[in-house]
């Protein structure tokens, strides 16, 4: 995993502060003062806060050089290139979703009539670093390796995902929301899902773009299934905006 070089970031920050301090120190003392001490202090604080916030933003994404997101052993966890381990934002959420290249990835390709909407949802949620019910035992989400060692562990399809969310979702940070709130949450980078109440399909609600915009009860999604699309709309791929349920993670 890629580690944040805190020493380098601190050095950069100190350099920025030093440069500002030197500029202030070289002001002509015979000239009419243009700024006061309070404004100088405020400027230094602004520079420091900007650098700190930039560091936090970078540290929100963890990078793994030994990734595998194309394996067709679908019961086994995909190993993502990027994981969201800190601040959530639309940029970070998009980066997590886009890395799976759902439209072309052989992992999600229809195989002998089987579709993989649940596998894609699982992959994205794991890369967003949130618990989700692909392998579970006594309601607890597990990795494939953990499931192999756990008595009573079983694999979930969409029907079981829905049951798990209804039964255990709140325990693991999930809550049910409207279609409108689902889009707003996704726009802010919060992991969000949509599924039909019949338990036959699931998709990832993702941030809007200038081309793909929310309309009444019709959020923007990314999905695997009979059609694998990185951007689409709920009504197009679920065939309706009725009898759907949305979940978002805190």
């Amino acid at each position: 995993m890629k580690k944040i070089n805190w020493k380098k970031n601190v050095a950069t920050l100190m350099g920025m502060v030093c440069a500002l301090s030197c500029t202030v120190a070289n002001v002509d003392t015979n000239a009419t003062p243009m700024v006061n001490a309070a404004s100088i202090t405020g400027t230094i604080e602004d520079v420091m806060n900007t650098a700190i916030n930039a560091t936090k933003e970078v540290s929100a994404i963890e990078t793994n050089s030994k990734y595998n997101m194309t394996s067709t052993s679908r019961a086994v966890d995909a190993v993502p290139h990027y994981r969201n381990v800190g601040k959530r934002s639309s940029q970070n959420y998009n980066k997590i979703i886009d890395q799976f290249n759902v439209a072309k990835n052989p992992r999600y390709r229809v195989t002998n009539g089987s579709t993989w909407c649940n596998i894609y949802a699982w992959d994205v949620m794991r890369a967003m670093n949130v618990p989700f019910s692909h392998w579970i035992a006594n309601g607890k989400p597990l990795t494939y390796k953990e499931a192999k060692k756990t008595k009573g562990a079983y694999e979930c399809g969409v029907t079981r995902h829905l049951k798990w969310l209804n039964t255990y979702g709140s325990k693991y940070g999930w809550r049910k929301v409207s279609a409108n709130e689902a889009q707003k949450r996704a726009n802010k980078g919060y992991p969000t899902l949509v599924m039909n109440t019949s338990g036959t399909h699931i998709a990832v609600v993702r941030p809007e773009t200038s081309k793909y915009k929310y309309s009444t009860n019709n959020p923007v999604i990314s999905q695997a299934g009979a059609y694998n699309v990185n951007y689409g709309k709920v009504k197009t791929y679920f065939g309706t905006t009725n009898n759907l349920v949305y979940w978002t993670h805190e």
Side-chain angles (χ1 to χ4, degrees), residues 39-111:
S39 66
I40 292 172
T41 302
T43 302
I44 293 174
E45 289 177 349
D46 288 343
V47 171
M48 293 178 69
N49 287 333
T50 297
I52 291 170
N53 289 335
T55 298
K56 288 181 178 179
E57 183 71 23
V58 171
S59 65
I61 295 291
E62 182 180 72
T63 303
N64 184 355
S65 60
K66 297 181 180 179
Y67 56 91
N68 181 357
M69 298 179 288
T70 60
S71 171
T72 54
S73 297
R74 298 174 180 92
V76 181
D77 322 33
V79 181
H81 190 187
Y82 304 112
R83 291 176 68 239
N84 195 164
V85 296
K87 180 181 177 180
R88 290 172 175 172
S89 66
S90 60
Q91 292 82 3
N92 289 342
Y93 194 22
N94 281 330
K95 186 170 186 174
I96 295 302
I97 293 170
D98 292 342
Q99 71 177 324
F100 290 102
N101 192 21
V102 65
K104 297 181 180 180
N105 192 334
R107 183 170 172 84
Y108 314 116
R109 189 176 297 147
V110 178
T111 308

Side-chain angles (χ1 to χ4, degrees), residues 19 51 99 120-121 130 137 142 144 147 149 172 187 211 213 229:
Q99 71 177 324
Y120 179 58
V130 299
L142 305 170
Y144 175 73
K149 301 175 183 177
Y172 290 97
N187 288 348
K211 181 178 179 181
K213 302 289 289 183
V229 294

Side-chain angles (χ1 to χ4, degrees), residues 161-228:
H161 289 325
L162 186 59
K163 183 177 180 180
W164 180 83
L165 284 165
N166 282 319
T167 306
Y168 298 101
S170 60
K171 178 180 179 179
Y172 290 97
W174 291 93
R175 64 181 174 91
K176 196 179 295 185
V177 294
S178 66
N180 183 55
E181 187 174 359
Q183 187 65 73
K184 289 180 178 179
R185 295 279 294 175
N187 288 348
K188 294 179 180 179
Y190 290 92
T192 304
L193 296 166
V194 56
M195 60 191 78
N196 50 23
T197 55
S198 60
T200 58
H201 190 42
I202 186 170
V204 175
V205 181
R206 68 172 306 157
E208 296 172 275
T209 69
S210 57
K211 181 178 179 181
Y212 292 92
K213 302 289 289 183
Y214 173 84
S215 54
T216 305
N217 295 326
N218 196 17
V220 181
I221 61 170
S222 178
Q223 71 153 43
Y227 300 94
N228 296 345

